[in-house]
Amino acid sequence: MTPERLARIKGTLERRQPDLHVLTDQIHKPRNVSAIIRSCDAFGVANMHAVWPREGYRAFRKTAGGSHNWVTTHTHPDMAAAIGELRGKGRRIYAAQLSERAIDYRDVDFTVPCALVLGNELDGVSAEAAAEADEHIVVPMMGMVESLNVSAACAIILAEAQRQRSEAGMFDCRRMPDDEYERLLFRWCQPQITRYCDDRNLPYPPFDVETGELIDGVGWMTEVRDIRRNRERARPEDFATPPGK
């Protein structure tokens, strides 16, 4: 971890907007979802939510450009669960949807806690999401086609959100809570150890937020060996659930 790399990671985290979310509604093309993740990273969105299509989803790393590593993705079984969670955290819901009540995307307030809902290009957002939205927003079109590719629309709308928040000074100081900031700082600085811990259901080791390095890597590895040995010795019937779950 070079000082330059650490400074870039910290600077990016300090500009993340924890109360600006994107929610995809049954977007089935992996390249579109990956491009949306890339836009989230570019415009400072910390969290993307998704209701996956039935056939599931696989991010195309080439399209995402590695940005899937920098945006936290949350999955939901259906739109009711997704919108319910966002509403429970006080987010206004803005659905990108052509309708009689739709307004220009530049006329909504993106400085308030909010979530942008995007549907697939064939059907748009679901009827449920459209009904629950506080506002329907559209990007005005001047050509022959009626709509943009969903990932292009996402980038345009998030650019406006970034503009409004920049003018309001919302990128000038860290807005992310300390515990989330330190958790993501560890994951971004130590991706290999993060994967090792996540795969084995292990706690993250002590971490120096000033340097981005482990405080006692050797001591932590000794503890990990002890934990794994104890798990291997344990009988499956001794657990209500399998070890590490």
Side-chain angles (χ1 to χ4, degrees), residues 89-176:
K89 295 179 180 177
R91 282 33 171 169
R92 288 182 62 80
I93 307 298
Y94 299 147
Q97 178 75 350
L98 181 62
S99 71
E100 292 183 355
R101 68 181 179 102
I103 61 176
D104 191 307
Y105 74 105
R106 292 163 291 194
D107 292 336
V108 298
D109 185 359
F110 284 106
T111 65
V112 301
C114 58
L116 169 63
V117 183
L118 301 161
N120 64 59
E121 294 174 44
L122 180 62
D123 303 315
V125 302
S126 63
E128 182 177 25
E132 288 290 331
D134 296 291
E135 300 284 358
H136 290 180
I137 60 175
V138 293
V139 178
M141 306 296 294
M142 304 298 177
M144 296 294 290
V145 298
E146 296 182 352
S147 65
L148 291 166
N149 172 277
V150 64
S151 61
C154 176
I156 290 170
I157 295 170
L158 289 184
E160 172 62 13
Q162 182 195 54
R163 184 193 68 79
Q164 291 186 19
R165 288 181 171 236
S166 292
E167 290 185 354
M170 298 175 74
F171 290 96
D172 296 343
C173 60
R174 176 159 66 87
R175 304 181 63 243
M176 185 177 289

Side-chain angles (χ1 to χ4, degrees), residues 7-232:
R8 183 176 181 184
I9 287 174
K10 287 185 173 182
T12 300
L13 275 174
E14 288 165 2
R15 292 187 295 270
R16 282 294 197 251
Q17 302 294 294
D19 59 351
L20 175 61
H21 302 252
V22 168
L23 167 60
T24 62
D25 182 4
Q26 296 287 319
I27 294 180
H28 62 278
K29 295 180 180 178
R31 292 188 183 277
N32 279 339
V33 180
S34 295
I36 289 169
I37 295 173
R38 190 168 188 167
S39 291
C40 287
D41 174 58
F43 294 110
V45 176
N47 296 279
M48 184 192 127
H49 300 254
V51 175
W52 298 143
R54 292 180 180 178
E55 61 270 22
Y57 162 74
R58 177 175 61 85
F60 281 4
R61 290 172 179 258
K62 182 177 180 181
T63 304
S67 51
H68 57 280
N69 295 320
W70 316 115
V71 177
T72 302
T73 301
H74 310 266
T75 59
H76 304 271
D78 51 50
M79 286 303 295
I83 292 178
E85 179 177 318
L86 291 166
R87 280 250 188 252
K89 295 179 180 177
R91 282 33 171 169
R92 288 182 62 80
I93 307 298
Y94 299 147
Q97 178 75 350
L98 181 62
S99 71
E100 292 183 355
R101 68 181 179 102
I103 61 176
D104 191 307
Y105 74 105
R106 292 163 291 194
D107 292 336
V108 298
D109 185 359
F110 284 106
T111 65
V112 301
C114 58
L116 169 63
V117 183
L118 301 161
N120 64 59
E121 294 174 44
L122 180 62
D123 303 315
V125 302
S126 63
E128 182 177 25
E132 288 290 331
D134 296 291
E135 300 284 358
H136 290 180
I137 60 175
V138 293
V139 178
M141 306 296 294
M142 304 298 177
M144 296 294 290
V145 298
E146 296 182 352
S147 65
L148 291 166
N149 172 277
V150 64
S151 61
C154 176
I156 290 170
I157 295 170
L158 289 184
E160 172 62 13
Q162 182 195 54
R163 184 193 68 79
Q164 291 186 19
R165 288 181 171 236
S166 292
E167 290 185 354
M170 298 175 74
F171 290 96
D172 296 343
C173 60
R174 176 159 66 87
R175 304 181 63 243
M176 185 177 289
D178 289 345
D179 57 346
E180 180 69 0
Y181 173 82
E182 292 178 9
R183 184 184 72 85
L184 289 176
L185 183 63
F186 176 86
R187 293 179 65 88
W188 291 13
C189 289
Q190 301 289 342
Q192 292 181 330
I193 294 178
T194 294
R195 286 192 295 271
Y196 182 89
C197 291
D198 290 349
D199 290 345
R200 295 162 178 80
N201 195 24
L202 295 169
Y204 294 156
F207 175 71
D208 187 341
V209 297
E210 297 300 322
T211 65
E213 301 295 343
L214 302 188
I215 292 175
D216 181 12
V218 174
W220 173 73
M221 281 305 302
T222 299
E223 292 180 7
V224 166
R225 293 190 188 99
D226 290 340
I227 291 172
R228 298 193 68 185
R229 275 197 297 267
N230 290 335
R231 287 179 179 175
E232 291 170 357

